[in-house]
Amino acid sequence: MSNRNLVNIMHLDIAPDWKKKLNTELQKPYFQELQKFVENEYQQNECFPKPENIFQAFELSAFKDTKVVIIGQDPYHGYGQAHGLCFSVQPEVKTPPSLVNIFKEMGDDLGKPMPATGNLTHWAKQGVLMLNATLTVRAGQAGSHQKKGWEKFTESVIELLSKEREGLVFLLWGGPAKKKVSKIDTSKHLVLTSGHPSPLAAIRGHWFGNKHFSKTNEYLVSKGREPIDW
């Protein structure tokens, strides 16, 4: 993948309003350095997601249409899993344990059956911005692209949404996501926090019973917006 291709992904494959909103951020020195790092990583190593899916979250959920923000950590680092939406996997891939727990809580909260696949594209298309803190990862190496600039970029996205939009729901699951609350104006938006849905955290009792899905929809309806069909 060339530097030019990464730029083209950002400028061609995201919603037009995101393109306009993020243009200044993309010109900053830190992002230029991040771009060089990602280019080199994709040339030298197997990395995920595929280049054309790095900014998938911004393609599927336009700035003006975003109603809910879910913040993950890294993309999945197993082959064929990540496709640019946090917690989501490709339709043919086995549902990962964290996502199984998300579906279990969703079922307990809303009475919905376990979905047939772990693909969450239908959430994104309804205005759920599914944003990992780090948008790329080296195959088999969790955290390998952390602290290279992605976190600064994604935090700027959160701040932008917080500042320019009103009445959004931010779902912060797990310690790293909870730290993002400092970037959110809680007087304008609903912030829901819980433990991470990973098996270990869920066993410790910090995930199940949070009822984030029904609470999100109740808030959206109270603001005159369509609820999410989870």
Side-chain angles (χ1 to χ4, degrees), residues 45-122:
N45 305 283
E46 186 169 27
C47 296
F48 303 125
K50 292 180 179 179
E52 61 268 25
N53 289 334
I54 292 173
F55 299 102
Q56 176 92 305
F58 301 95
E59 178 183 358
L60 295 178
S61 181
F63 181 83
K64 65 179 176 58
D65 296 331
T66 295
K67 298 187 287 189
V68 180
V69 182
I70 302 178
I71 301 170
Q73 298 177 34
D74 274 4
Y76 294 117
H77 55 80
Y79 185 80
Q81 292 179 301
H83 65 112
L85 305 177
C86 69
F87 294 107
S88 181
V89 292
Q90 306 270 24
E92 66 277 7
V93 175
K94 181 180 178 181
T95 304
S98 292
L99 186 52
V100 169
N101 284 339
I102 289 173
F103 287 156
K104 285 180 179 178
E105 174 58 27
M106 184 179 72
D108 291 342
D109 188 12
L110 302 176
K112 296 177 74 75
M114 183 70 67
T117 82
N119 187 278
L120 304 178
T121 299
H122 63 292

